[in-house]
Amino acid sequence: MTAYRPDFCPRYHAAVEMIGRRWAGVILRELLRGATRFRQIGDAIPDITDKLLSERLKRFESEGVVERRVAPTTPVTIEYRLTDKGRALEAAIAEISQWAETWLSAEEEEKVEGSASGQERATRRPGPAGE
């Protein structure tokens, strides 16, 4: 049985897990910067696969952070927008960005880029209809 820890905050833990998932932070950053279409988001993030981007957007939608809007146009237009809950992350994302600019060295940046580009990249196809 796990002992009760009054200094442990399960809400903080859940928040860190949500934005700390692989690619989640950069997806949120792109949405905050104004990207709304699947392809815009994917093109702005080097080495993310369409499958992973789709999974993350669906997860954010189920968590109430992103909403998916389908416009009845021809062809169908699908946009992703941050909800109020998602936009409320703007200050946190900005602080993480500032921290990274201040504290991460070029070597650490290269490690992150190297691990991302070393992954097998899925063939890019257009996103779901209209994306």
Side-chain angles (χ1 to χ4, degrees):
M1 186 165 134
T2 305
Y4 172 71
R5 297 208 32 155
D7 58 334
F8 179 78
C9 179
R11 288 183 180 178
Y12 174 81
H13 179 75
V16 169
E17 290 295 314
M18 180 176 52
I19 65 171
R21 277 186 225 112
R22 185 175 194 116
W23 303 107
V26 291
I27 293 168
L28 289 171
R29 188 171 184 220
E30 285 308 311
L31 288 165
L32 284 163
R33 293 174 68 174
T36 59
R37 306 282 300 276
F38 186 91
R39 186 58 38 229
Q40 287 176 305
I41 300 164
D43 288 348
I45 304 170
D47 299 320
I48 191 169
T49 64
D50 289 349
K51 179 181 178 190
L52 190 53
L53 176 57
S54 180
E55 287 173 6
R56 291 295 179 263
L57 288 169
K58 285 177 185 172
R59 182 79 181 259
F60 281 142
E61 188 178 4
S62 74
E63 292 166 334
V65 173
V66 168
E67 67 179 341
R68 182 178 186 262
R69 293 183 181 175
V70 180
T73 57
T74 305
V76 172
T77 302
I78 299 171
E79 293 187 334
Y80 296 90
R81 304 248 183 219
L82 291 169
T83 61
D84 289 342
K85 182 178 179 180
R87 282 188 301 278
L89 287 165
E90 185 169 14
I93 300 297
E95 285 295 321
I96 292 169
S97 294
Q98 182 59 50
W99 179 87
E101 290 296 321
T102 302
W103 293 102
L104 292 185
S105 68
E107 291 145 1
E108 289 166 313
E109 186 178 335
E110 287 174 12
K111 280 184 207 172
V112 171
E113 289 175 3
S115 68
S117 64
Q119 294 175 351
E120 187 175 322
R121 184 173 172 87
T123 303
R124 286 269 190 192
R125 292 179 302 276
E131 298 186 71

